[in-house]
Amino acid sequence: MPEKRLIFCFCRFLQAARYFYSILFTPVCSVFLEASPFLVFVRKNQFHAFRNRPFHTDVRVIVRKTALIVRMVEVRYLVAELCLLRQHDKSVRKILRHEKLLLAFIAKVGFPILIRPSYVLSGAAMNVCHSKEQMIEFLNLAAKVSKEYPVVVSEFLQGAKEIEFDAVAMNGEVVEYAISEHIEFAGVHSGDATLVFPAQKIYFETARRIKKVSKMIAKELNISGPFNIQFLAKNNDVKVIECNLRASRSFPFVSKVLKRNFIETATRIMLDAPYTKPDKSAFDIDWIGVKASQFSFARLHKADPVLGVDMSSTGEVGCIGDDFNEALLSAMIAVGNRIPQKNVLVSSGAAKSKAELLEPCHMLAVKGYNIYGTAGTAKFLNENGISATAVCWPDEQGDLNIMDMFSKHVFELVVNIPKDHSKRELTNGYKIRRAAIDHNIPLITNARLASAFISAFCNMDEKDIQIKSWQEYK
């Protein structure tokens, strides 16, 4: 087989003959023998990671990203070992071969734990476990999905921010980058999370450490082209979640906001073509972008519309605004949410989320909204000087039965934060969430996103959102 270069890029490229094949060994070799000096794979997300393993011995150059390098980042524990070797620790995680070792690990770190198979798309078979029963169930599922490669069990850090580092590198040197943050704490898949760029609420030291670790990884893997690293950050302690040797879903978003075409730079680098390195002032912008996710739970009969570490969204919308409130409102409205006019239902879950939603509920009260709450939430709000009307749980009888009120379309926004994993809580919470979806009522199941959304529409009227073209942001 002649020595040629395979270019993995996330763009439409060849204007001449295009080949549309499943990325399997035999058809790729057929294309490879016929193709022009450059063969381009137009791919989605991590699909190449499944299929490039057989090519390692047959293709000599893969744009400085050999199959072994891709394997290093896709097999969970290998990139963990790289970070440990360079003293950039990941969260506590183990490759455990026996049940006794697993139980000993859990006794040390405690629940919840995170189970992560290798070579998966969109967090498939990835789960957070809160009990031994869940652990056994999800381990069996993960083992079926990732038979050849290890399933990694790690400590699940609660209350940590998730931060994205999108970049383009040349021979291991970072050429340009973007740091964005999720509104939701870690535990929501990056494809479902609400993304803010530039990051608004991270410490300067956190950003400095993220850049340092990212440059180290790019250098160690000798990356030429696009890559994405996801981080956890808590109290300036930075941990790597994963590294993706590809253009991530946030690439086009940060490119639009920053007005720098990252994928063009990456493609030029992979073609050894001339490219321009950005001036540092290019990263100093006076506007903000927010990416919100679009869900199709209404079409998924009986599905529980709660978000987790596996991806549920079917689309996303990115919006730009002069400030955070404007950008967030634009994005939330664009994915189908409506700003309530009168009645809001709040079921605020555990004590921590109750406290987090206290100030947003105060804003609602000041703006004249009628607040309804499940028993615990209404009691908490009334005790803290916020008037709230208690409603009955779905399995309770009373004048204000929550399911009857859904049928009458009393509520215009539902905030339901899952509390715990008891059977009654799961059943009632599911019925509330499902009723909101079935009656086409905007639903938010994350306390941080609910807080941000409520704060935005309480501080800014919808009519004040500016209609501006992309070119006007300068």
Side-chain angles (χ1 to χ4, degrees):
M1 181 178 292
E3 181 175 351
K4 299 193 182 211
R5 178 174 296 176
L6 296 183
I7 301 172
F8 291 89
C9 61
F10 191 53
C11 62
R12 297 185 197 128
F13 190 71
L14 288 180
Q15 296 300 321
R18 292 175 183 155
Y19 298 86
F20 294 92
Y21 284 98
S22 297
I23 306 183
L24 300 171
F25 184 70
T26 303
V28 166
C29 284
S30 300
V31 175
F32 184 76
L33 291 170
E34 297 178 37
S36 61
F38 295 103
L39 180 64
V40 177
F41 277 66
V42 180
R43 58 167 177 73
K44 180 180 180 183
N45 292 340
Q46 295 165 312
F47 191 73
H48 72 285
F50 285 99
R51 301 303 185 190
N52 72 358
R53 284 171 279 170
F55 300 117
H56 180 65
T57 56
D58 294 87
V59 180
R60 299 181 188 178
V61 181
I62 310 180
V63 194
R64 304 176 185 88
K65 295 183 190 176
T66 68
L68 287 179
I69 295 298
V70 175
R71 178 177 179 270
M72 174 173 281
V73 297
E74 289 296 334
V75 179
R76 304 291 182 186
Y77 76 94
L78 293 178
V79 72
E81 289 180 353
L82 169 65
C83 292
L84 287 169
L85 182 66
R86 295 292 178 258
Q87 297 180 342
H88 297 298
D89 196 6
K90 297 186 85 175
S91 55
V92 180
R93 63 189 70 199
K94 292 286 184 182
I95 308 297
L96 302 166
R97 306 292 183 184
H98 304 290
E99 185 179 353
K100 287 184 179 179
L101 293 175
L102 177 58
L103 294 175
F105 174 73
I106 292 171
K108 178 181 179 181
V109 303
F111 286 105
I113 59 170
L114 179 64
I115 292 176
R116 296 160 60 91
S118 300
Y119 286 103
V120 295
L121 288 171
S122 303
M126 192 181 300
N127 284 286
V128 178
C129 305
H130 296 265
S131 66
K132 185 177 178 181
E133 291 74 20
Q134 285 186 334
M135 177 194 73
I136 294 171
E137 177 187 351
F138 293 143
L139 271 177
N140 289 333
L141 177 62
K144 290 178 182 177
V145 170
S146 185
K147 294 178 181 178
E148 296 180 48
Y149 293 91
V151 174
V152 175
V153 178
S154 60
E155 177 187 19
F156 180 69
L157 296 179
Q158 299 184 85
K161 291 187 72 70
E162 188 163 338
I163 299 168
E164 305 261 355
F165 185 91
D166 291 294
V168 178
M170 173 67 172
N171 294 329
E173 180 185 351
V174 174
V175 173
E176 57 186 356
Y177 67 88
I179 298 176
S180 49
E181 64 176 331
H182 296 188
I183 290 178
E184 301 86 349
F185 277 147
V188 175
H189 190 278
S190 59
D192 295 342
T194 311
L195 193 69
V196 182
F197 175 73
Q200 300 294 297
K201 296 183 179 180
I202 63 173
Y203 297 123
F204 179 83
E205 175 63 14
T206 296
R208 189 188 70 82
R209 292 185 182 185
I210 284 172
K211 287 185 282 187
K212 182 179 179 181
V213 174
S214 301
K215 289 177 181 178
M216 180 278 296
I217 292 175
K219 183 178 180 180
E220 289 294 326
L221 298 179
N222 194 31
I223 298 172
S224 284
F227 70 100
N228 162 270
I229 305 177
Q230 296 171 16
F231 289 91
L232 290 178
K234 191 173 183 178
N235 300 326
N236 279 332
D237 184 20
V238 173
K239 299 180 185 296
V240 176
I241 301 174
E242 64 183 22
C243 174
N244 299 298
L245 288 181
R246 58 174 171 82
S248 69
R249 65 179 52 81
S250 46
F251 245 67
F253 170 66
V254 298
S255 293
K256 277 290 187 182
V257 177
L258 201 54
K259 298 196 173 186
R260 284 282 309 179
N261 193 335
F262 278 35
I263 203 63
E264 179 182 348
T265 304
T267 305
R268 287 180 172 278
I269 285 172
M270 291 187 289
L271 291 172
D272 289 329
Y275 66 92
T276 57
K277 199 169 183 178
D279 186 89
K280 286 188 176 181
S281 63
F283 300 98
D284 183 18
I285 59 177
D286 294 324
W287 54 88
I288 294 173
V290 172
K291 176 191 75 68
S293 295
Q294 174 76 56
F295 300 94
S296 300
F297 289 119
R299 294 171 179 246
L300 301 173
H301 186 53
K302 294 186 178 180
D304 190 354
V306 67
L307 305 183
V309 292
D310 56 335
M311 184 172 162
S312 299
S313 65
T314 52
E316 49 202 355
V317 175
C319 293
I320 300 174
D322 285 336
D323 58 32
F324 174 71
N325 287 341
E326 184 177 43
L328 178 64
L329 280 183
S330 298
M332 293 293 281
I333 293 169
V335 296
N337 292 289
R338 300 182 300 276
I339 296 175
Q341 302 300 312
K342 187 177 180 182
N343 300 324
V344 177
L345 171 65
V346 180
S347 179
S348 55
K352 186 174 182 180
S353 53
K354 278 182 169 59
E356 192 168 353
L357 288 170
L358 187 61
E359 180 58 30
C361 287
H362 176 71
M363 291 182 183
L364 289 173
V366 170
K367 293 289 285 187
Y369 285 95
N370 298 322
I371 302 174
Y372 294 87
T374 48
T377 299
K379 182 174 181 290
F380 177 79
L381 293 176
N382 284 310
E383 287 174 349
N384 285 275
I386 300 171
S387 178
T389 303
V391 298
C392 298
W393 280 97
D395 63 357
E396 296 175 340
Q397 297 298 319
D399 294 334
L400 293 177
N401 181 274
I402 198 168
M403 303 308 287
D404 292 338
M405 297 176 78
F406 271 118
S407 299
K408 296 173 183 177
H409 288 262
V410 173
F411 312 122
E412 297 160 314
L413 172 66
V414 175
V415 177
N416 176 267
I417 314 301
K419 181 178 181 181
D420 56 42
H421 292 78
S422 65
K423 185 175 181 179
R424 183 173 186 246
E425 184 70 33
L426 288 172
T427 302
N428 280 315
Y430 165 75
K431 288 180 178 178
I432 292 172
R433 292 188 292 273
R434 193 63 238 180
I437 294 298
D438 292 339
H439 289 90
N440 195 29
I441 300 169
L443 169 70
I444 299 177
T445 61
N446 183 275
R448 286 176 59 82
L449 179 58
S451 178
F453 183 48
I454 291 170
S455 177
F457 70 69
C458 284
N459 285 298
M460 183 177 197
D461 291 333
E462 185 176 354
K463 60 180 176 60
D464 293 329
I465 297 175
Q466 301 179 76
I467 310 277
K468 293 173 67 175
S469 69
W470 178 69
Q471 290 81 1
E472 289 180 86
Y473 290 97
K474 57 186 178 180

